[in-house]
Amino acid sequence: MTAVEQKSGSAIRPFSVSVPEEALTDLRRRLAATRWPTRELVADRSQGVQSATVQALARYWATDHDWRRCEARLNALPQFTTEIDGVDVHFVHVRSPHADAMPLVMTHGWPGSVVEMLDVVGPLTDPPAYGGRAEDAFDLVLPSLPGYGFSSEPTEPGWDVARVARAWAELMRRLGYDRYVAQGGDVGAGVTDAMGRQAPGGLVGIHVNLLVTALGGLQFPTDTEEERAAAAAIATFRESGFSYFLQMATRPQTIGYALLDSPVALAAWLLDHDTDSYEKIARAFVDGQPTGNLTRDNVLDNVTLYWLTGTGASAARSYWDSYGVAAAAAAAGQAPRDVAVPVGFTTFPGEIWRTPRSWAELSYRTLGYFNEVDRGGHFAAWEEPELFAAEVRAAFAPLRGPRIPQPRS
């Protein structure tokens, strides 16, 4: 560490995960002491996460899930922390073994974490091992959002997606990357969209798999069957699937008390996101039939990470910062800056809505890649890692250039 790094707090420090056994013992004790509500009075999920799903999850969590397996997976990858704007940012940084790898910063969302991206590390950094080409390789940076996972909690409001985007640009600069691309879904799509609009030096392109502008103030056409279906799906989401969003955007602290006190409450809250992913996860626990990579162990790795780090409330507050009343008021009347860098977009069929190409073109004048794939949903990188990796490679293929040697962290 240099004297300048010590003074500025910009040092990049190695990190490893080591959860005390007492924390896991306490988790199992709390699972055993759960006070269960009576069963829902309907046969579907219209009243919320179903009892059979949560009880099956809790049984597996208490008796079969092995956190140490996830801990070992994380510790097998190079992990670091660095302080940016008062927050200790945790990130995974895997350099490709192949020459001319393109640097890529990829951002998770809620209710996810870096755990949902672990299975894309190999396909993105070492494509030949997965049937791809060495020239399509990436150096991969996977940060944990502030207040999520092993990143520290912000101690002041204002950490919206735009501020995170600026932090990620600083992270890439600090790592020595002066030419890179960015990718994200869910909240990560908001961060990546913001990076594209801020156009920091070095960013040459973005790829997203959720059209964040569709939940904003933009008006989209409904002339075609595809456009009408997307509009109807968004309307359904706003009418019957928006409760978690509204709660966290307006009263995150209230739900935070339950998320920090009861692991079952935390699990149910994280599962109650969108219909497609909920049904896939429910099948994994109730019927033992996972879809793609959404296995019981992988899902519980993510939930356990939230529990052990105590970040249920701080993650919820990120919605208040980005989408709450104060954020909406600050953004009122301000037209968003256009994205100047090339944009790639992939529509996954199980997403909350299937974005039509026409909507993506209206949102991004620089749209250069658009594709609709035949499987995968909201957690695309998690559910279908190799298909997702193939989409990321295809989207950024036209942007590749000669690699400039980078300093090693």
Side-chain angles (χ1 to χ4, degrees):
M1 183 188 305
T2 67
V4 172
E5 287 173 334
Q6 288 177 328
K7 185 175 181 180
S8 68
S10 63
I12 295 173
R13 304 174 297 274
F15 178 87
S16 63
V17 182
S18 181
V19 172
E21 188 62 32
E22 294 79 8
L24 299 176
T25 301
D26 177 67
L27 168 59
R28 289 188 286 269
R29 178 187 64 79
R30 289 172 181 264
L31 287 169
T34 300
R35 294 181 63 189
W36 293 97
T38 56
R39 184 183 180 279
E40 63 277 1
L41 304 179
V42 292
D44 55 26
R45 69 177 287 249
S46 59
Q47 291 189 339
V49 177
Q50 294 158 294
S51 296
T53 298
V54 182
Q55 288 177 356
L57 179 151
R59 285 194 300 270
Y60 191 87
W61 202 359
T63 59
D64 295 299
H65 178 255
D66 180 11
W67 166 256
R68 298 300 183 194
R69 178 192 59 85
C70 180
E71 189 173 271
R73 291 190 73 196
L74 287 166
N75 287 337
L77 299 172
Q79 298 176 85
F80 304 89
T81 61
T82 188
E83 182 185 332
I84 302 176
D85 198 7
V87 169
D88 279 333
V89 174
H90 163 264
F91 61 99
V92 175
H93 185 198
V94 182
R95 293 186 183 273
S96 173
H98 304 287
D100 300 323
M102 173 179 280
L104 165 63
V105 57
M106 195 157 71
T107 312
H108 68 84
W110 187 95
S113 66
V114 294
V115 164
E116 69 181 279
M117 298 177 171
L118 294 182
D119 284 300
V120 301
V121 171
L124 288 175
T125 62
D126 190 12
Y130 297 83
R133 306 181 307 164
E135 53 266 39
D136 290 328
F138 294 91
D139 280 354
L140 192 58
V141 180
L142 304 177
S144 296
L145 289 165
Y148 288 68
F150 298 109
S151 285
S152 66
E153 297 184 15
T155 57
E156 61 182 7
W159 271 94
D160 60 4
V161 291
R163 188 168 177 179
V164 176
R166 291 190 292 272
W168 281 192
E170 169 59 19
L171 174 62
M172 296 303 279
R173 185 203 65 78
R174 199 170 289 182
L175 290 173
Y177 292 127
D178 57 9
R179 190 178 190 277
Y180 63 92
V181 291
Q183 198 285 329
D186 192 79
V187 174
V191 173
T192 304
D193 176 274
M195 292 183 75
R197 297 180 193 282
Q198 292 167 3
L203 181 69
V204 297
I206 65 172
H207 174 270
V208 291
N209 49 285
L210 181 74
L211 193 70
V212 294
T213 54
L215 292 177
L218 285 181
Q219 297 298 312
F220 292 95
T222 54
D223 300 325
T224 68
E225 182 177 344
E226 186 181 29
E227 291 168 345
R228 287 190 290 273
I234 293 175
T236 298
F237 176 64
R238 289 188 180 280
E239 291 166 5
S240 61
F242 209 57
S243 59
Y244 78 89
F245 194 109
L246 183 61
Q247 177 70 35
M248 296 197 299
T250 58
R251 293 293 188 273
Q253 193 69 14
T254 302
I255 190 61
Y257 296 113
L259 304 183
L260 270 291
D261 188 63
S262 167
V264 164
L266 174 67
W269 189 251
L270 297 180
L271 261 61
D272 201 6
H273 184 268
D274 66 281
T275 299
D276 179 74
S277 63
Y278 169 77
E279 290 178 348
K280 290 170 179 174
I281 292 171
R283 283 198 299 270
F285 282 102
V286 176
D287 303 324
Q289 298 178 353
T291 302
N293 225 28
L294 289 179
T295 66
R296 293 179 294 186
D297 285 315
N298 285 342
V299 169
L300 280 173
D301 288 346
N302 182 64
V303 178
T304 307
L305 177 63
Y306 273 81
W307 176 260
L308 293 174
T309 56
T311 49
S314 54
R317 285 196 290 267
S318 73
Y319 272 64
W320 188 91
D321 274 327
S322 289
Y323 312 112
V325 174
Q334 297 182 13
R337 184 187 307 173
D338 284 341
V339 175
V341 299
V343 177
F345 192 97
T346 301
T347 293
F348 289 86
E351 186 54 272
I352 300 171
W353 66 90
R354 299 187 189 189
T355 295
R357 183 182 187 117
S358 59
W359 287 16
E361 289 174 338
L362 283 172
S363 299
Y364 301 114
R365 297 179 183 177
T366 55
L367 185 73
Y369 178 86
F370 181 89
N371 193 32
E372 299 181 34
V373 294
D374 61 359
R375 62 188 189 279
H378 187 76
F379 297 102
W382 205 6
E383 184 182 338
E384 298 289 346
E386 293 192 39
L387 173 61
F388 176 87
E391 284 299 299
V392 172
R393 290 196 295 264
F396 292 131
L399 306 181
R400 290 189 177 270
R403 183 178 184 180
I404 299 174
Q406 308 292 346
R408 297 285 166 173
S409 61

